[in-house]
Amino acid sequence: PKIRLADWIMDEIYDREMPSIVLGDYADKKPKVVMKMDIESQEYAVLPDLMFSGVLCKTIDFVFGEFHHWNIHYPPDEVTGRGGLELGARESLKFKNELLRGFHSVKHCRTASIS
């Protein structure tokens, strides 16, 4: 089955609370969300969705991952016909750079690191 990561994060992670029993002095600290992505070129679809939905900036504190500079082919959605992406290896590198530039230009984003 397919799930939309942005929806899952909002449903399962966004309103999380610190467990009532925690080792250490964490009573006044907010939990941190760290996400590691190594999703074999799917980052070109998932990361923009997390960014444009607002989920990345309001839920994820740190995100790390790797971009794959391969030929990218995502067909449009079967139901809506929307979306779809076709990039060559050079275009995928340019897309990555523009995506990161866009991310770093967002003000008031809780996500402190993206690489």
Side-chain angles (χ1 to χ4, degrees):
K2 271 198 306 194
I3 64 165
R4 182 175 173 227
L5 184 59
D7 290 340
W8 183 85
I9 289 171
M10 287 305 295
D11 292 344
E12 302 295 330
I13 305 295
Y14 181 69
D15 289 327
R16 77 215 177 278
E17 294 181 7
M18 188 67 87
S20 58
I21 299 175
V22 178
L23 299 176
D25 183 20
Y26 298 102
D28 63 340
K29 295 186 174 125
K30 195 161 171 67
K32 300 291 184 201
V33 177
V34 178
M35 182 170 68
K36 164 77 166 73
M37 288 194 323
D38 186 4
I39 50 179
E40 305 305 318
S41 81
Q42 296 300 308
E43 61 273 8
Y44 292 94
V46 172
L47 199 51
D49 186 47
L50 291 174
M51 290 170 63
F52 292 118
S53 67
V55 170
L56 184 70
C57 284
K58 66 183 171 186
T59 308
I60 309 298
D61 294 290
F62 298 94
V63 61
F64 303 93
E66 130 181 63
F67 281 89
H68 298 85
H69 308 298
W70 302 333
N71 293 328
I72 307 296
H73 173 73
Y74 301 135
D77 183 270
E78 293 175 5
V79 175
T80 66
R82 295 187 332 204
L85 183 63
E86 194 81 39
L87 297 172
R90 278 190 178 167
E91 293 170 308
S92 67
L93 179 60
K94 184 176 178 181
F95 185 91
K96 174 202 111 169
N97 291 337
E98 293 299 320
L99 192 62
L100 291 176
R101 187 182 350 263
F103 168 78
H104 290 296
S105 71
V106 175
K107 295 179 181 174
H108 310 295
C109 181
R110 80 184 274 162
T111 308
S113 177
I114 186 169
S115 57

